[in-house]
Structure formats: structure tokens, C-alpha cells
Amino acid sequence: MEKGEATKGRRLYVGNLDWGVSWQDLKDHMRSTGNVVYANVFQKDGRSQGCGIVEYETAAEAAKAVSELNDTELKGRQIFVREDREDFEVKGERRQPAPARTENKGARSTPAAAPRVEKRQAPRQERPYREENSSRTLNKSKLFVGNLAWEVTWPDLEGEFSAHGTITKGSVASDFQGRSKGYAIVEFESESSASAAIDALNGKVVKGRAIKVRVDGEK
């Protein structure tokens, strides 16, 4: 049996991962639905690509993970989980099929060019924001607000945050269907207002969940 057939139905693709999520974090999060036999976060030049692969011992465990863990939150981000639709090797690269041979009577057969290997990335609309220059100075007046209940709207947050200073920008992140992604960005006019909001609101319960407030870009 080929490896692709052996892992069919047991291997899942997990996207929209926070850049700080390690393979161990991913495995620990996914093991609630079954025995995880393999977990990997794809990296390029030592940096996470925001997606990974998880393989379960059985297809039933994998199906349960899709049902129960899709849209759950891991390190402040709402992840998405689905069956892996490509045949990936453990190292995270697409397996190339054996080159096809062309039939040409009277001439020596030559192999066809192998297909180009491309790194897999999360879909554009789901990919989280990433600073291209990791050494760039953080904007300490801009805050990340995570672990939001799905029903929390911007007016709900505005009422909480505006008590600590003038807000210049604010919104709850949503997908292309308008559903909350479970986090928001709030930007204040001054760093002192942002700092006051962190001190007052980090860990506060809003609609049944303790929200997480920090400077955007900090780990």
C-alpha cells in the first residue's frame, strides 16, 4: 500500500496558526480528539508559515477533530481544520509522481519534466497578518484583543476601551462571510492610553470569556 493510501482520511491540514505556535503546541491542542501520531508546523528559513499537518491514528479520530476543533482558538487565533487534500511527505513538501515516459517508436524514451514543487500556504483570506520586518519597532498604541466570544461586536469592545483614551481605529476581525475570527485590533491616540487599557482590561470577562489584551505583535 502506498503511503498516500495509508494516511488517507487520517491526515489533516491546520491553517491560520499564530506565528508562535510550535509543533508541540499544535499536537497538544489536537490530541483532545484522538491519538496524534504526527504533527508538524511548516517553516521557511526558520520561520513559521502559519499552517501545519496533523496525522491521527485513525480516520474516525481525524473526522472528530474536523468536527470539534475547526474554528477553535489556539494562542489567540481562530484556526481552521480540514482533511489534507494533498499527498504530503512528513517534511512538508508535495510528493512528486514518477516522471511519465513518452512513447516514440524508433527513438529513445525520455522522461517528461517533473512538476514544479510549491510550498503550501493558507488560503489568502484566512492568512494572518505578518510583519515582514521582524525588527521593526512595535506600535505600542496598537493593541491585539484575543479570546473573544463569537458574538462580541465592535460596539461591545468600544464601550470597554474608550474609557481609557481616544480610539483612532478599531474593529473585530471577520472572515469573508462576516463571521468573527475571535480577535480584534484597537488603536489608541497615545501609548499611555493603550497601556492603561492593557492594565485594566487584560483578563476581563466579556460575554463569558476572559479577553487577552496586549500590544499587537508582541508574543
Side-chain angles (χ1 to χ4, degrees), residues 38-60:
Y38 173 75
N40 183 41
V41 173
F42 296 155
Q43 294 188 341
K44 183 177 182 180
D45 299 326
R47 301 179 68 182
S48 168
Q49 291 186 292
C51 55
I53 290 293
V54 174
E55 187 177 314
Y56 285 90
E57 190 169 31
T58 68

Side-chain angles (χ1 to χ4, degrees), residues 79-135:
I79 64 173
F80 63 88
V81 183
R82 60 168 170 75
E83 184 178 352
D84 183 37
R85 295 171 188 156
E86 302 290 345
D87 187 11
F88 276 78
E89 294 288 2
V90 167
K91 63 184 179 180
E93 294 182 353
R94 183 171 298 175
R95 179 186 296 175
Q96 294 190 47
R101 292 185 175 274
T102 56
E103 294 295 334
N104 186 1
K105 292 184 178 180
R108 184 178 181 180
S109 298
T110 56
R116 181 180 178 183
V117 177
E118 296 181 353
K119 295 287 186 179
R120 183 177 189 166
Q121 295 179 322
R124 185 179 299 275
Q125 70 271 17
E126 297 286 359
R127 292 179 64 192
Y129 173 76
R130 179 179 188 176
E131 283 285 357
E132 294 299 327
N133 185 353
S134 58
S135 63

Side-chain angles (χ1 to χ4, degrees), residues 13-18 21 25-26 29-30 50-51 54 65-66 68-82 126 150 181-183:
Y13 175 80
V14 185
N16 202 38
L17 297 177
D18 180 85
V21 170
D25 295 326
L26 181 59
H29 185 75
M30 303 297 289
C51 55
V54 174
V66 173
E68 297 184 7
L69 297 178
N70 185 46
D71 288 340
T72 56
E73 188 172 288
L74 176 57
K75 285 199 171 184
R77 286 196 184 277
Q78 181 184 352
I79 64 173
F80 63 88
V81 183
R82 60 168 170 75
E126 297 286 359
W150 305 128
K181 287 187 174 183
Y183 70 92

